[in-house]
Amino acid sequence: LGGTLKPFDEFMDNLFEGIPKEDIEVFSCSHVMPKENLLTLCVGKGPSNVPFKFNYQNRNTKPVMNELGSFLANIAQMVPDGMVVFFPSYRYLETVLT
Protein backbone atom coordinates (compact mmCIF):
# COMPACT_ATOMS: atom_id res chain seq x y z
CA LEU A 1 0.00 0.00 0.00
CA GLY A 2 1.16 3.54 -0.56
CA GLY A 3 -0.01 7.06 -0.06
CA THR A 4 -1.98 8.46 2.83
CA LEU A 5 -3.97 5.43 3.88
CA LYS A 6 -3.67 5.96 7.62
CA PRO A 7 -5.30 4.77 9.67
CA PHE A 8 -5.32 1.71 7.50
CA ASP A 9 -6.57 -1.10 9.72
CA GLU A 10 -9.73 -1.35 7.60
CA PHE A 11 -7.65 -1.52 4.41
CA MET A 12 -5.51 -4.25 5.94
CA ASP A 13 -8.61 -6.25 6.91
CA ASN A 14 -10.13 -5.93 3.42
CA LEU A 15 -7.02 -6.34 1.28
CA PHE A 16 -5.32 -9.08 3.25
CA GLU A 17 -8.29 -11.09 4.47
CA GLY A 18 -7.25 -14.42 5.83
CA ILE A 19 -3.59 -13.48 6.31
CA PRO A 20 -2.53 -13.28 9.96
CA LYS A 21 -1.57 -9.72 10.92
CA GLU A 22 1.75 -10.95 12.31
CA ASP A 23 2.67 -12.13 8.77
CA ILE A 24 2.22 -8.63 7.34
CA GLU A 25 5.12 -6.21 7.60
CA VAL A 26 4.22 -2.53 7.71
CA PHE A 27 6.76 0.12 6.78
CA SER A 28 6.11 3.81 7.20
CA CYS A 29 8.32 6.83 6.75
CA SER A 30 7.98 10.55 7.24
CA HIS A 31 6.84 12.96 4.57
CA VAL A 32 9.29 13.31 1.70
CA MET A 33 8.95 17.10 1.49
CA PRO A 34 9.81 19.63 4.17
CA LYS A 35 6.74 21.44 5.52
CA GLU A 36 8.01 24.78 4.23
CA ASN A 37 7.77 23.42 0.67
CA LEU A 38 4.12 22.42 1.01
CA LEU A 39 1.19 24.71 0.32
CA THR A 40 -2.40 23.53 0.25
CA LEU A 41 -4.95 25.81 -1.37
CA CYS A 42 -8.71 25.91 -1.53
CA VAL A 43 -9.69 28.16 -4.41
CA GLY A 44 -13.25 29.33 -5.12
CA LYS A 45 -12.68 31.16 -8.40
CA GLY A 46 -10.09 31.54 -11.08
CA PRO A 47 -8.00 34.46 -12.32
CA SER A 48 -10.93 35.88 -14.33
CA ASN A 49 -13.30 35.55 -11.34
CA VAL A 50 -15.17 32.63 -12.92
CA PRO A 51 -16.44 30.51 -10.00
CA PHE A 52 -14.96 27.05 -9.68
CA LYS A 53 -18.16 25.01 -9.54
CA PHE A 54 -17.02 21.49 -10.16
CA ASN A 55 -20.38 19.81 -9.78
CA TYR A 56 -21.42 17.37 -12.48
CA GLN A 57 -23.41 19.96 -14.46
CA ASN A 58 -20.62 22.57 -14.59
CA ARG A 59 -17.27 20.83 -14.42
CA ASN A 60 -16.94 20.20 -18.16
CA THR A 61 -18.26 23.56 -19.35
CA LYS A 62 -15.96 25.70 -21.45
CA PRO A 63 -15.79 28.63 -18.96
CA VAL A 64 -14.86 26.37 -16.04
CA MET A 65 -12.33 24.37 -18.08
CA ASN A 66 -10.72 27.54 -19.47
CA GLU A 67 -10.56 29.07 -16.00
CA LEU A 68 -9.01 25.92 -14.53
CA GLY A 69 -6.42 25.84 -17.31
CA SER A 70 -5.54 29.51 -16.75
CA PHE A 71 -5.33 29.00 -13.00
CA LEU A 72 -3.02 25.99 -13.27
CA ALA A 73 -0.84 27.71 -15.89
CA ASN A 74 -0.49 30.79 -13.65
CA ILE A 75 0.45 28.70 -10.61
CA ALA A 76 2.91 26.62 -12.65
CA GLN A 77 4.76 29.80 -13.64
CA MET A 78 5.16 30.80 -10.00
CA VAL A 79 6.25 27.42 -8.59
CA PRO A 80 9.94 26.95 -9.37
CA ASP A 81 10.24 23.16 -9.14
CA GLY A 82 6.80 21.89 -10.10
CA MET A 83 3.51 21.16 -8.43
CA VAL A 84 1.12 18.33 -7.70
CA VAL A 85 -2.55 18.61 -8.69
CA PHE A 86 -5.12 16.05 -7.60
CA PHE A 87 -8.15 15.21 -9.74
CA PRO A 88 -11.20 13.21 -8.67
CA SER A 89 -10.71 10.61 -11.41
CA TYR A 90 -8.47 9.64 -14.32
CA ARG A 91 -11.36 10.43 -16.66
CA TYR A 92 -11.56 14.02 -15.43
CA LEU A 93 -7.78 14.35 -15.62
CA GLU A 94 -7.93 13.27 -19.27
CA THR A 95 -10.75 15.78 -19.91
CA VAL A 96 -8.72 18.60 -18.40
CA LEU A 97 -5.60 17.63 -20.36
CA THR A 98 -7.45 17.65 -23.67
Side-chain angles (χ1 to χ4, degrees):
L1 297 176
T4 55
L5 297 176
K6 282 192 171 183
F8 57 85
D9 288 336
E10 183 179 344
F11 291 104
M12 297 274 286
D13 292 341
N14 290 326
L15 293 175
F16 303 111
E17 184 179 347
I19 299 174
K21 288 189 186 225
E22 60 270 7
D23 290 347
I24 299 172
E25 186 174 333
V26 177
F27 175 78
S28 181
C29 54
S30 61
H31 204 287
V32 296
M33 288 183 352
K35 288 184 179 183
E36 62 269 12
N37 291 359
L38 183 63
L39 175 64
T40 304
L41 299 173
C42 233
V43 183
K45 57 186 173 181
S48 303
N49 289 323
V50 172
F52 282 142
K53 292 185 179 179
F54 291 105
N55 58 18
Y56 189 76
Q57 293 81 13
N58 294 314
R59 67 182 180 185
N60 292 329
T61 63
K62 190 170 183 172
V64 170
M65 295 298 283
N66 288 341
E67 198 73 357
L68 178 59
S70 295
F71 174 74
L72 294 175
N74 290 346
I75 296 294
Q77 290 177 358
M78 293 185 272
V79 177
D81 293 319
M83 62 185 190
V84 176
V85 180
F86 295 95
F87 291 90
S89 67
Y90 285 112
R91 177 179 279 175
Y92 192 65
L93 169 62
E94 289 297 322
T95 301
V96 169
L97 291 175
T98 57

